[in-house]
Amino acid sequence: MEVRATPQRQIRALYTASTVTVYQAYDPALGLPAARDGRFPAGWKRERMTWVKPSFLWMMYRSGWGTKEGQRTVLAVEIRRDGFDWAVRNACLSHYERETHGERAVWQRELKRAPARVQWDPERDLRLQALPYRSLQLGLAGEAVRRYADEWVVDIRDVTPLAQRVHALVRDGQLDAARALLPAERVYPGPQVGS
């Protein structure tokens, strides 16, 4: 029986027929009102790039299981798939790759005009150790940020308690129990990532 290796770059996410879940972590002053109201509060900065992550464990790595300063509220943001797909199709890689872009100037022009950016970061295991394949981080700016906040958000949930439960099980060496609590992420069948 042939075992296939996980592709080096692959979008894996929790999704339904109409939505995909991405994760972000904020200070409780922003995160708790967002979860309570199902939308980002007035203090949320629309003029800044915002990064969303479809990988729960990558978010746990980035936020230290929701313990890092300014990241103590972990949000599961359920957004419309057509919006996520639009951002992916209109994204540019956040770093230059000769084989993808050819000339650096071409990439710089694409990066300047793209409403979204793609960064591929090492996926993480339950102990937050890097795996040999990567997960998507999607940066939204300008038009993409406005669409994200005003059109794509379907629901926002505070998943900090889940992060704490999973982390406690990992600390206690109960990896199977921790794994059973993880969101059921699978290969996302959406569009290919833009250049």
Side-chain angles (χ1 to χ4, degrees), residues 44 46-47 140-152:
W44 189 74
R46 292 168 179 263
E47 63 278 0
L140 306 174
E143 179 184 0
V145 170
R146 288 189 297 279
R147 287 182 178 210
Y148 175 64
D150 298 334
E151 300 171 20
W152 301 344

Side-chain angles (χ1 to χ4, degrees):
M1 179 179 186
E2 182 182 332
V3 177
R4 290 191 162 180
T6 302
Q8 179 66 18
R9 294 177 175 177
Q10 183 180 67
I11 301 174
R12 288 170 300 282
L14 173 66
Y15 62 90
T16 69
S18 59
T19 65
V20 60
T21 298
V22 295
Y23 300 94
Q24 295 190 285
Y26 291 102
D27 185 87
L30 280 176
L32 294 177
R36 180 191 66 224
D37 300 335
R39 60 180 159 53
F40 293 106
W44 189 74
K45 305 243 186 287
R46 292 168 179 263
E47 63 278 0
R48 290 179 52 190
M49 180 168 287
T50 191
W51 291 88
V52 300
K53 300 129 185 97
S55 167
F56 179 81
L57 285 175
W58 202 92
M59 186 71 255
M60 295 306 97
Y61 166 73
R62 179 71 177 89
S63 69
W65 296 101
T67 63
K68 289 184 180 176
E69 191 64 37
Q71 299 185 57
R72 292 197 171 130
T73 302
V74 180
L75 300 178
V77 184
E78 192 175 3
I79 63 174
R80 291 179 13 203
R81 275 182 70 172
D82 61 338
F84 182 79
D85 291 353
W86 179 88
V88 170
R89 276 194 310 275
N90 288 283
C92 179
L93 284 175
S94 63
H95 62 281
Y96 170 71
E97 288 183 351
R98 179 182 298 279
E99 61 277 5
T100 302
H101 304 105
E103 296 180 31
R104 184 176 291 274
V106 170
W107 166 74
Q108 288 172 329
R109 280 192 304 276
E110 288 177 11
L111 188 65
K112 207 172 261 193
R113 69 170 175 71
R117 293 185 183 172
V118 164
Q119 189 166 301
W120 291 103
D121 295 302
E123 180 59 283
R124 302 289 162 163
D125 65 14
L126 277 168
R127 295 190 189 279
L128 305 184
Q129 299 300 306
L131 292 169
Y133 49 89
R134 296 181 175 261
S135 283
L136 177 77
Q137 220 192 139
L138 190 60
L140 306 174
E143 179 184 0
V145 170
R146 288 189 297 279
R147 287 182 178 210
Y148 175 64
D150 298 334
E151 300 171 20
W152 301 344
V153 172
V154 173
D155 188 33
I156 302 177
R157 296 180 315 281
D158 180 357
V159 292
T160 312
L162 172 63
Q164 293 166 344
R165 282 195 306 274
V166 173
H167 188 209
L169 289 167
V170 171
R171 277 195 319 260
D172 291 343
Q174 298 181 46
L175 299 185
D176 288 340
R179 195 172 289 109
L181 294 178
L182 294 177
E185 296 169 4
R186 54 204 163 117
V187 176
Y188 184 73
Q192 296 298 308
V193 173
S195 59

